[in-house]
Amino acid sequence: MTVIKETFSEGSSLLHRTDPRLKLVSAFLLACVTAVLTTIPGALSSLIGALCLLFLSGLLLLQVLKRLLLVNAFIGMMWLFLPFTTPGNPLFSQFGLILTREGIELALLVTLKSNAILLFMITLISTTPTVTLGQALDALHVPEKLNFLLLISYRYLEVIFQEYNRLAIAARVRGFVPGTSPRTYRTYGYLLAMVLVNSFDRAQRVYQAMLLRGFQGRFYALHEFHISFTDWVIAVFMITLAILIFLADKLLPVFYTA
Amino acid sequence: MHISEGLLSPPILVTGAVLCLCGTAYGLKKMDAAEVPTTGILTAAFFVASLIHVPIGPASIHLLLIGLIGLLLGWSCFPAMLVALFLQALFFQYGGLTVLGVNTVNMALPALLVYFLFSPLIRHKHYRVNTLGGFLAGSLAILGSGVLTSLSLALSGEPFVRAAQFILLAHLPLMFIEGFITAVVISFIKKVRPEILHRSSATELGLE
């Protein structure tokens, strides 16, 4: 059993081969542009752009859709509230609840924006293996300590998860069945505390081993990034996409309402 | 709870990002090079803890352990939360890129507050006081996080207020469970490996 399956980072598509620094910056740019959109045509064009990237990334559509469905839970909850809590033209009213056109539009806007940003993240960031991402962040001058923290956390996720699993199996073998009771919570508490104590001890050993090998406070990346011609083309494409989304948000609604 | 992408208004997003940057920068500055591996491995442990689903009635919720993170890490909780949330966004797409700042602040700020408020109780020599401190830290951190999360949503626009109230209510059962579990963990660590708790209090409050 593994915690992290970096399914999206495996592949050899155009986007998988693109310079990770470029992908990080583009993802950030496109996410920020999308986050400030205020109209449905704008959000829709952002989603269309994101779908184009999904096509370029060659990821399995079904896999991505499954992931999107899972993380749309929060947005789903918004659909329970927004259509009724937004003032505007009533479409339908029953049991004192008023469903408004503006409410549905707001919920739709939020859904489109959210999924567009998620797709940008999947296609541009999750298509890079985490270690390469760390090197890219380093090249982008993210503070060394923070980057080191990221890489070491990533490195030990799996180890600690295995440790937790070992203890959880031991508890199960002794007849522990989780339920809603203080006993369950106490057992989880002891389990977690043991995981923390083991992690702390491990951290001491790891640090000593690192010092022994001449650790000086940073990871050295042997890999150097090179921006190829294709990368430049992609960079231009990303910037154009961001501008188009922004313009669509400002200009398209004129036709939309007319 | 992570707020999704696309919901919050730009002023809230920017405020969150700026606060997150300040907290992280200060946390990193205070973090000794020797502390980085420990903080990193504890961050991984908290990431694993957030994958544990604890049953509550017919449903189940996953743990956050915000209060515990605060008590163990002090100011380092800002960079640690940022890293953990970034990894969650990377692997599971929970949370996201533009809301990373807001989500980090919503969890790290209450963690830091309970660290300042309850560290003295944790360092107290009486076992019962430690347990009480653990419970208060665990539950109040969740309450604080719930308040901040719903506040960031409610301030993003009038229509979000109802949903924000609901989110705050949803945090209440978690409050008690987290408080209880944090109390258990603290009393356990206090007995088995007290230096884990005294590490942060000694170096960061400038005591001893």
Side-chain angles (χ1 to χ4, degrees):
Chain A
M1 208 157 118
T2 51
V3 229
I4 24 173
K5 298 175 209 74
E6 293 174 72
T7 355
F8 298 138
S9 71
E10 293 154 11
S12 56
S13 72
L14 183 64
L15 281 183
H16 282 93
R17 280 178 283 128
T18 307
D19 191 309
R21 291 171 298 172
L22 173 65
K23 286 198 285 187
L24 265 172
V25 176
S26 321
F28 189 69
L29 174 75
L30 287 165
C32 287
V33 168
T34 307
V36 299
L37 297 178
T38 50
T39 69
I40 288 180
L44 204 56
S45 35
S46 174
L47 188 65
I48 292 170
L51 287 172
C52 291
L53 291 186
L54 181 62
F55 176 71
L56 283 179
S57 75
L59 293 172
L60 288 176
L61 198 61
L62 201 71
Q63 231 168 25
V64 176
L65 281 182
K66 235 160 75 186
R67 181 60 63 84
L68 283 184
L69 211 64
L70 217 69
V71 291
N72 264 299
F74 197 92
I75 295 292
M77 188 181 80
M78 287 298 145
W79 275 94
L80 295 180
F81 289 97
L82 291 180
F84 305 102
T85 55
T86 316
N89 295 326
L91 282 181
F92 176 78
S93 74
Q94 191 81 47
F95 314 119
L97 289 171
I98 306 159
L99 187 78
T100 63
R101 185 190 151 88
E102 281 77 2
I104 292 181
E105 279 181 356
L106 182 62
L108 186 64
L109 174 74
V110 163
T111 311
L112 292 173
K113 277 165 67 173
S114 182
N115 284 290
I117 300 180
L118 285 172
L119 280 176
F120 286 135
M121 268 176 43
I122 290 176
T123 54
L124 293 172
I125 299 188
S126 297
T127 50
T128 316
T130 311
V131 175
T132 317
L133 206 58
Q135 291 168 359
L137 286 170
D138 189 52
L140 289 170
H141 302 293
V142 164
E144 259 168 30
K145 255 191 230 167
L146 187 62
N147 206 8
F148 180 45
L149 200 61
L150 174 76
L151 288 173
I152 201 159
S153 310
Y154 168 69
R155 163 67 181 80
Y156 282 96
L157 270 185
E158 198 60 58
V159 177
I160 290 172
F161 186 66
Q162 299 296 354
E163 208 152 82
Y164 165 74
N165 254 346
R166 197 168 53 86
L167 294 172
I169 291 170
R172 256 206 316 278
V173 168
R174 286 163 178 76
F176 169 61
V177 181
T180 309
S181 64
R183 183 200 174 82
T184 300
Y185 301 143
R186 198 172 306 123
T187 307
Y188 274 118
Y190 286 145
L191 251 168
L192 279 168
M194 208 53 224
V195 169
L196 283 173
V197 168
N198 286 341
S199 310
F200 183 77
D201 289 350
R202 183 182 296 276
Q204 306 303 310
R205 290 197 303 275
V206 168
Y207 183 58
Q208 284 164 359
M210 282 161 63
L211 283 182
L212 201 62
R213 288 161 178 78
F215 173 67
Q216 290 189 323
R218 65 162 300 177
F219 275 149
Y220 292 89
L222 297 177
H223 181 73
E224 285 212 6
F225 296 111
H226 295 286
I227 293 217
S228 68
F229 177 71
T230 334
D231 287 334
W232 283 114
V233 176
I234 291 176
V236 172
F237 174 76
M238 296 293 179
I239 293 170
T240 320
L241 185 61
I243 294 173
L244 281 178
I245 293 170
F246 181 76
L247 288 179
D249 192 50
K250 295 279 168 277
L251 301 178
L252 282 184
V254 180
F255 303 104
Y256 177 70
T257 45
Chain B
M1 196 179 279
H2 305 65
I3 300 180
S4 294
E5 289 282 9
L7 286 163
L8 301 181
S9 69
I12 300 288
L13 290 174
V14 172
T15 313
V18 169
L19 285 177
C20 169
L21 269 183
C22 296
T24 307
Y26 190 69
L28 285 175
K29 212 184 121 215
K30 288 205 91 167
M31 200 192 303
D32 201 39
E35 281 177 74
V36 184
T38 314
T39 311
I41 294 180
L42 288 178
T43 305
F46 289 121
F47 186 102
V48 170
S50 74
L51 298 171
I52 301 175
H53 284 257
V54 174
I56 172 166
S60 76
I61 44 175
H62 75 87
L63 297 172
L64 293 168
L65 300 181
I66 300 174
L68 191 61
I69 299 176
L71 290 177
L72 290 186
L73 295 180
W75 268 102
S76 302
C77 72
F78 259 96
M81 297 272 194
L82 178 63
V83 163
L85 288 174
F86 179 73
L87 288 174
Q88 286 190 340
L90 187 65
F91 300 139
F92 312 126
Q93 279 78 44
Y94 284 128
L97 216 51
T98 63
V99 280
L100 196 56
V102 176
N103 280 333
T104 304
V105 172
N106 286 349
M107 296 193 195
L109 204 57
L112 192 63
L113 280 180
V114 300
Y115 164 69
F116 284 123
L117 287 175
F118 300 116
S119 276
L121 294 188
I122 303 300
R123 275 182 288 112
H124 202 276
K125 59 181 184 297
H126 283 294
Y127 169 72
R128 280 174 192 279
V129 179
N130 304 152
T131 312
L132 178 73
F135 181 81
L136 289 175
S139 49
L140 291 180
I142 294 293
L143 181 67
S145 173
V147 168
L148 284 178
T149 305
S150 38
L151 208 61
S152 31
L153 204 57
L155 289 176
S156 283
E158 187 68 35
F160 293 106
V161 172
R162 264 294 139 86
Q165 289 167 341
F166 174 75
I167 285 174
L168 188 56
L169 275 179
H171 274 81
L172 295 182
L174 186 59
M175 245 180 90
F176 291 101
I177 293 175
E178 289 255 344
F180 189 84
I181 290 183
T182 308
V184 172
V185 173
I186 289 291
S187 67
F188 184 95
I189 293 180
K190 191 81 184 177
K191 271 182 260 171
V192 176
R193 203 60 52 88
E195 59 266 33
I196 301 182
L197 288 164
H198 293 295
R199 179 185 63 96
S200 56
S201 36
T203 51
E204 298 194 13
L205 287 175
L207 300 167
E208 291 172 34

